[in-house]
Every structure is written in C-alpha cells, then in structure tokens.
mmCIF file of all heavy atoms in Angstrom:
data_model
loop_
_atom_site.group_PDB
_atom_site.id
_atom_site.type_symbol
_atom_site.label_atom_id
_atom_site.label_comp_id
_atom_site.label_asym_id
_atom_site.label_seq_id
_atom_site.Cartn_x
_atom_site.Cartn_y
_atom_site.Cartn_z
ATOM 1 N N ILE A 1 -8.788 17.928 9.444
ATOM 2 C CA ILE A 1 -8.827 16.810 10.381
ATOM 3 C C ILE A 1 -7.777 17.071 11.449
ATOM 4 O O ILE A 1 -6.576 17.123 11.145
ATOM 5 C CB ILE A 1 -8.582 15.471 9.667
ATOM 6 C CG1 ILE A 1 -9.699 15.209 8.652
ATOM 7 C CG2 ILE A 1 -8.488 14.319 10.664
ATOM 8 C CD1 ILE A 1 -9.514 13.960 7.826
ATOM 9 N N PRO A 2 -8.187 17.259 12.708
ATOM 10 C CA PRO A 2 -7.280 17.747 13.757
ATOM 11 C C PRO A 2 -6.360 16.676 14.322
ATOM 12 O O PRO A 2 -6.658 16.018 15.321
ATOM 13 C CB PRO A 2 -8.252 18.259 14.833
ATOM 14 C CG PRO A 2 -9.471 17.405 14.655
ATOM 15 C CD PRO A 2 -9.565 17.097 13.182
ATOM 16 N N ILE A 3 -5.185 16.498 13.712
ATOM 17 C CA ILE A 3 -4.187 15.563 14.230
ATOM 18 C C ILE A 3 -3.389 16.272 15.331
ATOM 19 O O ILE A 3 -2.828 17.344 15.103
ATOM 20 C CB ILE A 3 -3.249 15.082 13.122
ATOM 21 C CG1 ILE A 3 -4.032 14.251 12.101
ATOM 22 C CG2 ILE A 3 -2.114 14.254 13.703
ATOM 23 C CD1 ILE A 3 -3.173 13.694 10.998
ATOM 24 N N VAL A 4 -3.353 15.669 16.494
ATOM 25 C CA VAL A 4 -2.665 16.247 17.646
ATOM 26 C C VAL A 4 -1.367 15.488 17.875
ATOM 27 O O VAL A 4 -1.332 14.255 17.868
ATOM 28 C CB VAL A 4 -3.553 16.163 18.908
ATOM 29 C CG1 VAL A 4 -2.820 16.711 20.117
ATOM 30 C CG2 VAL A 4 -4.857 16.919 18.677
ATOM 31 N N THR A 5 -0.259 16.231 18.078
ATOM 32 C CA THR A 5 1.039 15.642 18.400
ATOM 33 C C THR A 5 1.223 15.662 19.909
ATOM 34 O O THR A 5 1.074 16.704 20.552
ATOM 35 C CB THR A 5 2.173 16.422 17.728
ATOM 36 O OG1 THR A 5 1.960 16.436 16.312
ATOM 37 C CG2 THR A 5 3.523 15.777 18.013
ATOM 38 N N VAL A 6 1.564 14.510 20.484
ATOM 39 C CA VAL A 6 1.721 14.384 21.933
ATOM 40 C C VAL A 6 3.175 14.043 22.233
ATOM 41 O O VAL A 6 3.690 13.013 21.779
ATOM 42 C CB VAL A 6 0.791 13.286 22.501
ATOM 43 C CG1 VAL A 6 0.958 13.181 24.017
ATOM 44 C CG2 VAL A 6 -0.654 13.575 22.128
ATOM 45 N N ASP A 7 3.840 14.927 22.969
ATOM 46 C CA ASP A 7 5.243 14.724 23.337
ATOM 47 C C ASP A 7 5.328 13.684 24.442
ATOM 48 O O ASP A 7 4.767 13.859 25.523
ATOM 49 C CB ASP A 7 5.850 16.049 23.799
ATOM 50 C CG ASP A 7 7.373 15.962 23.949
ATOM 51 O OD1 ASP A 7 7.881 14.838 24.029
ATOM 52 O OD2 ASP A 7 8.026 17.028 23.971
ATOM 53 N N GLY A 8 6.045 12.606 24.183
ATOM 54 C CA GLY A 8 6.139 11.535 25.162
ATOM 55 C C GLY A 8 7.286 11.661 26.123
ATOM 56 O O GLY A 8 7.601 10.716 26.837
ATOM 57 N N GLY A 9 8.002 12.802 26.147
ATOM 58 C CA GLY A 9 9.088 12.966 27.114
ATOM 59 C C GLY A 9 10.385 13.418 26.497
ATOM 60 O O GLY A 9 11.422 13.396 27.155
ATOM 61 N N GLY A 10 10.344 13.827 25.237
ATOM 62 C CA GLY A 10 11.532 14.398 24.637
ATOM 63 C C GLY A 10 12.198 13.521 23.598
ATOM 64 O O GLY A 10 12.851 14.022 22.684
ATOM 65 N N HIS A 11 12.085 12.220 23.714
ATOM 66 C CA HIS A 11 12.691 11.316 22.730
ATOM 67 C C HIS A 11 11.793 11.221 21.514
ATOM 68 O O HIS A 11 10.583 11.030 21.631
ATOM 69 C CB HIS A 11 12.895 9.933 23.346
ATOM 70 C CG HIS A 11 13.847 9.072 22.573
ATOM 71 N ND1 HIS A 11 13.482 8.398 21.441
ATOM 72 C CD2 HIS A 11 15.165 8.798 22.768
ATOM 73 C CE1 HIS A 11 14.516 7.721 20.954
ATOM 74 N NE2 HIS A 11 15.560 7.952 21.755
ATOM 75 N N SER A 12 12.371 11.333 20.319
ATOM 76 C CA SER A 12 11.563 11.370 19.094
ATOM 77 C C SER A 12 10.744 10.105 18.914
ATOM 78 O O SER A 12 9.646 10.132 18.355
ATOM 79 C CB SER A 12 12.469 11.595 17.870
ATOM 80 O OG SER A 12 13.406 10.532 17.747
ATOM 81 N N ASP A 13 11.278 8.965 19.411
ATOM 82 C CA ASP A 13 10.545 7.711 19.244
ATOM 83 C C ASP A 13 9.292 7.651 20.110
ATOM 84 O O ASP A 13 8.430 6.804 19.915
ATOM 85 C CB ASP A 13 11.453 6.528 19.591
ATOM 86 C CG ASP A 13 12.551 6.323 18.543
ATOM 87 O OD1 ASP A 13 12.373 6.836 17.419
ATOM 88 O OD2 ASP A 13 13.562 5.680 18.860
ATOM 89 N N ASP A 14 9.221 8.527 21.126
ATOM 90 C CA ASP A 14 8.085 8.508 22.038
ATOM 91 C C ASP A 14 6.981 9.481 21.645
ATOM 92 O O ASP A 14 5.935 9.518 22.287
ATOM 93 C CB ASP A 14 8.553 8.845 23.462
ATOM 94 C CG ASP A 14 9.483 7.776 24.014
ATOM 95 O OD1 ASP A 14 9.311 6.607 23.625
ATOM 96 O OD2 ASP A 14 10.373 8.130 24.810
ATOM 97 N N ILE A 15 7.207 10.297 20.620
ATOM 98 C CA ILE A 15 6.181 11.238 20.176
ATOM 99 C C ILE A 15 5.014 10.456 19.584
ATOM 100 O O ILE A 15 5.197 9.545 18.767
ATOM 101 C CB ILE A 15 6.745 12.225 19.134
ATOM 102 C CG1 ILE A 15 7.795 13.127 19.790
ATOM 103 C CG2 ILE A 15 5.634 13.067 18.515
ATOM 104 C CD1 ILE A 15 8.473 14.071 18.823
ATOM 105 N N GLY A 16 3.804 10.797 20.037
ATOM 106 C CA GLY A 16 2.622 10.086 19.567
ATOM 107 C C GLY A 16 1.666 10.991 18.823
ATOM 108 O O GLY A 16 1.793 12.224 18.857
ATOM 109 N N TYR A 17 0.699 10.359 18.166
ATOM 110 C CA TYR A 17 -0.277 11.095 17.373
ATOM 111 C C TYR A 17 -1.673 10.545 17.643
ATOM 112 O O TYR A 17 -1.863 9.341 17.850
ATOM 113 C CB TYR A 17 0.049 10.966 15.874
ATOM 114 C CG TYR A 17 1.413 11.485 15.516
ATOM 115 C CD1 TYR A 17 2.521 10.638 15.555
ATOM 116 C CD2 TYR A 17 1.593 12.813 15.162
ATOM 117 C CE1 TYR A 17 3.792 11.112 15.242
ATOM 118 C CE2 TYR A 17 2.856 13.292 14.845
ATOM 119 C CZ TYR A 17 3.950 12.440 14.890
ATOM 120 O OH TYR A 17 5.194 12.931 14.590
ATOM 121 N N ARG A 18 -2.623 11.437 17.679
ATOM 122 C CA ARG A 18 -4.018 11.047 17.799
ATOM 123 C C ARG A 18 -4.871 12.119 17.132
ATOM 124 O O ARG A 18 -4.377 13.183 16.764
ATOM 125 C CB ARG A 18 -4.427 10.887 19.265
ATOM 126 C CG ARG A 18 -4.360 12.184 20.066
ATOM 127 C CD ARG A 18 -4.748 11.958 21.517
ATOM 128 N NE ARG A 18 -4.653 13.172 22.301
ATOM 129 C CZ ARG A 18 -5.592 14.114 22.366
ATOM 130 N NH1 ARG A 18 -6.729 13.962 21.677
ATOM 131 N NH2 ARG A 18 -5.436 15.199 23.099
ATOM 132 N N ILE A 19 -6.146 11.837 16.970
ATOM 133 C CA ILE A 19 -7.086 12.817 16.413
ATOM 134 C C ILE A 19 -8.017 13.254 17.528
ATOM 135 O O ILE A 19 -8.585 12.418 18.248
ATOM 136 C CB ILE A 19 -7.879 12.223 15.244
ATOM 137 C CG1 ILE A 19 -6.964 12.059 14.020
ATOM 138 C CG2 ILE A 19 -9.081 13.100 14.878
ATOM 139 C CD1 ILE A 19 -7.625 11.420 12.824
ATOM 140 N N ASP A 20 -8.133 14.561 17.688
ATOM 141 C CA ASP A 20 -8.997 15.122 18.722
ATOM 142 C C ASP A 20 -10.451 14.765 18.396
ATOM 143 O O ASP A 20 -11.056 15.321 17.481
ATOM 144 C CB ASP A 20 -8.817 16.635 18.768
ATOM 145 C CG ASP A 20 -9.578 17.275 19.920
ATOM 146 O OD1 ASP A 20 -10.485 16.637 20.458
ATOM 147 O OD2 ASP A 20 -9.260 18.426 20.266
ATOM 148 N N GLY A 21 -10.995 13.821 19.142
ATOM 149 C CA GLY A 21 -12.339 13.329 18.861
ATOM 150 C C GLY A 21 -13.408 14.389 18.981
ATOM 151 O O GLY A 21 -14.347 14.443 18.172
ATOM 152 N N ASP A 22 -13.285 15.266 19.988
ATOM 153 C CA ASP A 22 -14.293 16.309 20.170
ATOM 154 C C ASP A 22 -14.302 17.282 19.006
ATOM 155 O O ASP A 22 -15.358 17.736 18.560
ATOM 156 C CB ASP A 22 -14.034 17.071 21.475
ATOM 157 C CG ASP A 22 -14.274 16.192 22.700
ATOM 158 O OD1 ASP A 22 -15.049 15.226 22.569
ATOM 159 O OD2 ASP A 22 -13.674 16.473 23.751
ATOM 160 N N ALA A 23 -13.111 17.615 18.492
ATOM 161 C CA ALA A 23 -13.033 18.569 17.384
ATOM 162 C C ALA A 23 -13.436 17.924 16.063
ATOM 163 O O ALA A 23 -13.898 18.600 15.148
ATOM 164 C CB ALA A 23 -11.615 19.137 17.269
ATOM 165 N N TYR A 24 -13.246 16.603 15.971
ATOM 166 C CA TYR A 24 -13.506 15.905 14.710
ATOM 167 C C TYR A 24 -14.932 15.406 14.594
ATOM 168 O O TYR A 24 -15.456 15.226 13.499
ATOM 169 C CB TYR A 24 -12.544 14.712 14.589
ATOM 170 C CG TYR A 24 -12.650 13.945 13.296
ATOM 171 C CD1 TYR A 24 -12.421 14.560 12.077
ATOM 172 C CD2 TYR A 24 -12.971 12.588 13.303
ATOM 173 C CE1 TYR A 24 -12.504 13.850 10.892
ATOM 174 C CE2 TYR A 24 -13.057 11.872 12.129
ATOM 175 C CZ TYR A 24 -12.824 12.510 10.920
ATOM 176 O OH TYR A 24 -12.908 11.809 9.758
ATOM 177 N N ALA A 25 -15.603 15.197 15.735
ATOM 178 C CA ALA A 25 -16.937 14.596 15.712
ATOM 179 C C ALA A 25 -17.948 15.507 15.047
ATOM 180 O O ALA A 25 -17.892 16.737 15.186
ATOM 181 C CB ALA A 25 -17.390 14.274 17.135
ATOM 182 N N LEU A 26 -18.857 14.908 14.308
ATOM 183 C CA LEU A 26 -19.941 15.655 13.680
ATOM 184 C C LEU A 26 -21.099 15.794 14.660
ATOM 185 O O LEU A 26 -21.297 14.948 15.531
ATOM 186 C CB LEU A 26 -20.435 14.916 12.431
ATOM 187 C CG LEU A 26 -19.480 14.863 11.249
ATOM 188 C CD1 LEU A 26 -20.061 13.942 10.181
ATOM 189 C CD2 LEU A 26 -19.223 16.251 10.679
ATOM 190 N N PRO A 27 -21.881 16.848 14.529
ATOM 191 C CA PRO A 27 -23.087 16.952 15.359
ATOM 192 C C PRO A 27 -24.091 15.881 14.951
ATOM 193 O O PRO A 27 -23.959 15.264 13.886
ATOM 194 C CB PRO A 27 -23.617 18.356 15.022
ATOM 195 C CG PRO A 27 -23.081 18.643 13.661
ATOM 196 C CD PRO A 27 -21.729 17.985 13.610
ATOM 197 N N PRO A 28 -25.100 15.615 15.777
ATOM 198 C CA PRO A 28 -26.112 14.615 15.415
ATOM 199 C C PRO A 28 -26.739 14.927 14.058
ATOM 200 O O PRO A 28 -27.009 16.081 13.739
ATOM 201 C CB PRO A 28 -27.145 14.740 16.547
ATOM 202 C CG PRO A 28 -26.374 15.307 17.700
ATOM 203 C CD PRO A 28 -25.355 16.230 17.089
ATOM 204 N N ILE A 29 -26.919 13.880 13.258
ATOM 205 C CA ILE A 29 -27.491 14.048 11.916
ATOM 206 C C ILE A 29 -29.007 14.023 12.009
ATOM 207 O O ILE A 29 -29.596 13.066 12.502
ATOM 208 C CB ILE A 29 -26.993 12.940 10.969
ATOM 209 C CG1 ILE A 29 -25.470 13.027 10.816
ATOM 210 C CG2 ILE A 29 -27.666 13.047 9.608
ATOM 211 C CD1 ILE A 29 -24.878 11.909 9.993
ATOM 212 N N ASP A 30 -29.621 15.089 11.547
ATOM 213 C CA ASP A 30 -31.085 15.183 11.577
ATOM 214 C C ASP A 30 -31.545 15.726 10.230
ATOM 215 O O ASP A 30 -31.652 16.931 10.031
ATOM 216 C CB ASP A 30 -31.527 16.097 12.728
ATOM 217 C CG ASP A 30 -33.054 16.132 12.859
ATOM 218 O OD1 ASP A 30 -33.710 15.239 12.283
ATOM 219 O OD2 ASP A 30 -33.572 17.049 13.524
ATOM 220 N N LEU A 31 -31.776 14.818 9.290
ATOM 221 C CA LEU A 31 -32.134 15.219 7.937
ATOM 222 C C LEU A 31 -33.638 15.367 7.789
ATOM 223 O O LEU A 31 -34.408 14.575 8.330
ATOM 224 C CB LEU A 31 -31.630 14.182 6.924
ATOM 225 C CG LEU A 31 -30.121 13.945 6.868
ATOM 226 C CD1 LEU A 31 -29.809 12.839 5.884
ATOM 227 C CD2 LEU A 31 -29.389 15.225 6.470
ATOM 228 N N THR A 32 -34.037 16.375 7.031
ATOM 229 C CA THR A 32 -35.442 16.496 6.662
ATOM 230 C C THR A 32 -35.752 15.474 5.571
ATOM 231 O O THR A 32 -34.842 14.887 4.968
ATOM 232 C CB THR A 32 -35.755 17.898 6.141
ATOM 233 O OG1 THR A 32 -35.035 18.104 4.904
ATOM 234 C CG2 THR A 32 -35.338 18.965 7.151
ATOM 235 N N SER A 33 -37.025 15.285 5.298
ATOM 236 C CA SER A 33 -37.423 14.357 4.237
ATOM 237 C C SER A 33 -36.823 14.781 2.900
ATOM 238 O O SER A 33 -36.350 13.952 2.124
ATOM 239 C CB SER A 33 -38.952 14.302 4.136
ATOM 240 O OG SER A 33 -39.504 13.770 5.310
ATOM 241 N N ALA A 34 -36.846 16.080 2.634
ATOM 242 C CA ALA A 34 -36.327 16.571 1.360
ATOM 243 C C ALA A 34 -34.824 16.335 1.258
ATOM 244 O O ALA A 34 -34.316 15.911 0.208
ATOM 245 C CB ALA A 34 -36.636 18.050 1.203
ATOM 246 N N GLU A 35 -34.084 16.594 2.345
ATOM 247 C CA GLU A 35 -32.636 16.408 2.320
ATOM 248 C C GLU A 35 -32.279 14.933 2.140
ATOM 249 O O GLU A 35 -31.386 14.590 1.357
ATOM 250 C CB GLU A 35 -32.026 16.945 3.618
ATOM 251 C CG GLU A 35 -32.076 18.457 3.728
ATOM 252 C CD GLU A 35 -31.762 18.946 5.122
ATOM 253 O OE1 GLU A 35 -31.896 18.147 6.085
ATOM 254 O OE2 GLU A 35 -31.394 20.119 5.275
ATOM 255 N N PHE A 36 -32.995 14.056 2.850
ATOM 256 C CA PHE A 36 -32.723 12.633 2.690
ATOM 257 C C PHE A 36 -33.095 12.171 1.288
ATOM 258 O O PHE A 36 -32.424 11.332 0.693
ATOM 259 C CB PHE A 36 -33.494 11.830 3.735
ATOM 260 C CG PHE A 36 -33.036 10.407 3.833
ATOM 261 C CD1 PHE A 36 -32.027 10.051 4.694
ATOM 262 C CD2 PHE A 36 -33.611 9.417 3.037
ATOM 263 C CE1 PHE A 36 -31.592 8.741 4.781
ATOM 264 C CE2 PHE A 36 -33.186 8.103 3.115
ATOM 265 C CZ PHE A 36 -32.164 7.763 3.991
ATOM 266 N N GLY A 37 -34.165 12.726 0.756
ATOM 267 C CA GLY A 37 -34.575 12.365 -0.597
ATOM 268 C C GLY A 37 -33.527 12.716 -1.624
ATOM 269 O O GLY A 37 -33.253 11.953 -2.551
ATOM 270 N N VAL A 38 -32.917 13.894 -1.467
ATOM 271 C CA VAL A 38 -31.867 14.311 -2.403
ATOM 272 C C VAL A 38 -30.676 13.364 -2.315
ATOM 273 O O VAL A 38 -30.094 12.973 -3.335
ATOM 274 C CB VAL A 38 -31.442 15.763 -2.111
ATOM 275 C CG1 VAL A 38 -30.192 16.129 -2.909
ATOM 276 C CG2 VAL A 38 -32.573 16.724 -2.466
ATOM 277 N N LEU A 39 -30.286 12.966 -1.102
ATOM 278 C CA LEU A 39 -29.187 12.019 -0.955
ATOM 279 C C LEU A 39 -29.532 10.672 -1.591
ATOM 280 O O LEU A 39 -28.693 10.044 -2.238
ATOM 281 C CB LEU A 39 -28.863 11.825 0.527
ATOM 282 C CG LEU A 39 -28.170 12.988 1.234
ATOM 283 C CD1 LEU A 39 -28.023 12.692 2.712
ATOM 284 C CD2 LEU A 39 -26.809 13.261 0.611
ATOM 285 N N SER A 40 -30.762 10.230 -1.402
ATOM 286 C CA SER A 40 -31.195 8.967 -2.009
ATOM 287 C C SER A 40 -31.144 9.047 -3.528
ATOM 288 O O SER A 40 -30.722 8.114 -4.211
ATOM 289 C CB SER A 40 -32.620 8.623 -1.557
ATOM 290 O OG SER A 40 -32.680 8.461 -0.168
ATOM 291 N N LEU A 41 -31.575 10.188 -4.047
ATOM 292 C CA LEU A 41 -31.550 10.389 -5.491
ATOM 293 C C LEU A 41 -30.125 10.374 -6.018
ATOM 294 O O LEU A 41 -29.820 9.728 -7.024
ATOM 295 C CB LEU A 41 -32.217 11.725 -5.825
ATOM 296 C CG LEU A 41 -32.211 12.146 -7.296
ATOM 297 C CD1 LEU A 41 -33.017 11.159 -8.125
ATOM 298 C CD2 LEU A 41 -32.782 13.542 -7.448
ATOM 299 N N ALA A 42 -29.223 11.063 -5.310
ATOM 300 C CA ALA A 42 -27.833 11.104 -5.747
ATOM 301 C C ALA A 42 -27.222 9.713 -5.741
ATOM 302 O O ALA A 42 -26.469 9.339 -6.651
ATOM 303 C CB ALA A 42 -27.034 12.041 -4.843
ATOM 304 N N ALA A 43 -27.559 8.925 -4.733
ATOM 305 C CA ALA A 43 -26.988 7.579 -4.625
ATOM 306 C C ALA A 43 -27.389 6.698 -5.796
ATOM 307 O O ALA A 43 -26.666 5.767 -6.153
ATOM 308 C CB ALA A 43 -27.411 6.933 -3.312
ATOM 309 N N GLN A 44 -28.540 6.988 -6.400
ATOM 310 C CA GLN A 44 -28.999 6.165 -7.518
ATOM 311 C C GLN A 44 -28.118 6.335 -8.754
ATOM 312 O O GLN A 44 -28.131 5.509 -9.661
ATOM 313 C CB GLN A 44 -30.446 6.517 -7.860
ATOM 314 C CG GLN A 44 -31.423 6.116 -6.766
ATOM 315 C CD GLN A 44 -32.844 6.492 -7.133
ATOM 316 O OE1 GLN A 44 -33.345 6.117 -8.176
ATOM 317 N NE2 GLN A 44 -33.502 7.267 -6.268
ATOM 318 N N PHE A 45 -27.317 7.412 -8.790
ATOM 319 C CA PHE A 45 -26.410 7.590 -9.917
ATOM 320 C C PHE A 45 -25.244 6.601 -9.854
ATOM 321 O O PHE A 45 -24.697 6.214 -10.866
ATOM 322 C CB PHE A 45 -25.832 9.005 -9.920
ATOM 323 C CG PHE A 45 -26.724 10.000 -10.593
ATOM 324 C CD1 PHE A 45 -27.504 10.866 -9.843
ATOM 325 C CD2 PHE A 45 -26.794 10.080 -11.970
ATOM 326 C CE1 PHE A 45 -28.325 11.791 -10.459
ATOM 327 C CE2 PHE A 45 -27.603 10.999 -12.591
ATOM 328 C CZ PHE A 45 -28.376 11.857 -11.831
ATOM 329 N N TRP A 46 -24.842 6.209 -8.639
ATOM 330 C CA TRP A 46 -23.621 5.432 -8.507
ATOM 331 C C TRP A 46 -23.932 3.943 -8.632
ATOM 332 O O TRP A 46 -23.927 3.216 -7.663
ATOM 333 C CB TRP A 46 -22.955 5.749 -7.176
ATOM 334 C CG TRP A 46 -22.907 7.203 -6.884
ATOM 335 C CD1 TRP A 46 -23.349 7.825 -5.767
ATOM 336 C CD2 TRP A 46 -22.392 8.240 -7.728
ATOM 337 N NE1 TRP A 46 -23.137 9.179 -5.862
ATOM 338 C CE2 TRP A 46 -22.561 9.465 -7.046
ATOM 339 C CE3 TRP A 46 -21.807 8.263 -9.005
ATOM 340 C CZ2 TRP A 46 -22.168 10.691 -7.587
ATOM 341 C CZ3 TRP A 46 -21.421 9.483 -9.550
ATOM 342 C CH2 TRP A 46 -21.589 10.662 -8.841
ATOM 343 N N GLN A 47 -24.173 3.522 -9.846
ATOM 344 C CA GLN A 47 -24.602 2.149 -10.060
ATOM 345 C C GLN A 47 -23.490 1.240 -10.563
ATOM 346 O O GLN A 47 -23.679 0.048 -10.682
ATOM 347 C CB GLN A 47 -25.771 2.103 -11.044
ATOM 348 C CG GLN A 47 -27.057 2.677 -10.482
ATOM 349 C CD GLN A 47 -27.488 2.009 -9.205
ATOM 350 O OE1 GLN A 47 -27.606 0.795 -9.148
ATOM 351 N NE2 GLN A 47 -27.702 2.786 -8.159
#
C-alpha cells in the first residue's frame, strides 16, 4: 500500500502522509460468470 510522505517545509509537525491513489487503485473489475460463481460459492461458507 503506497504511503507517500510529503515534506511540509522542514518542521517535523508539518510532515504529511497520503496514499497515492493512482498506484493504489485497482483496474476495473470484469468477472466472468465462472469467476463470480466461485466467489459466490466461497461466500456461502462464511455463515
């Protein structure tokens, strides 16, 4: 998970943190019927 440190000007209290959204984002989800079926089946275990 890409946590980025941002220097706010040298003072330690001004240092900030964020997560690089472009690096962290997943590509569009496009599941086949079989892949979705397997996920549905797995979910039935967690009752």
Side-chain angles (χ1 to χ4, degrees):
I1 297 176
I3 294 182
V4 178
T5 302
V6 181
D7 191 342
H11 197 280
S12 61
D13 290 341
D14 295 329
I15 294 176
Y17 301 89
R18 64 181 178 83
I19 288 177
D20 186 342
D22 292 335
Y24 183 60
L26 291 173
I29 298 175
D30 184 16
L31 299 177
T32 65
S33 296
E35 290 167 339
F36 193 90
V38 170
L39 288 175
S40 299
L41 177 64
Q44 292 179 55
F45 275 102
W46 315 127
Q47 290 304 307

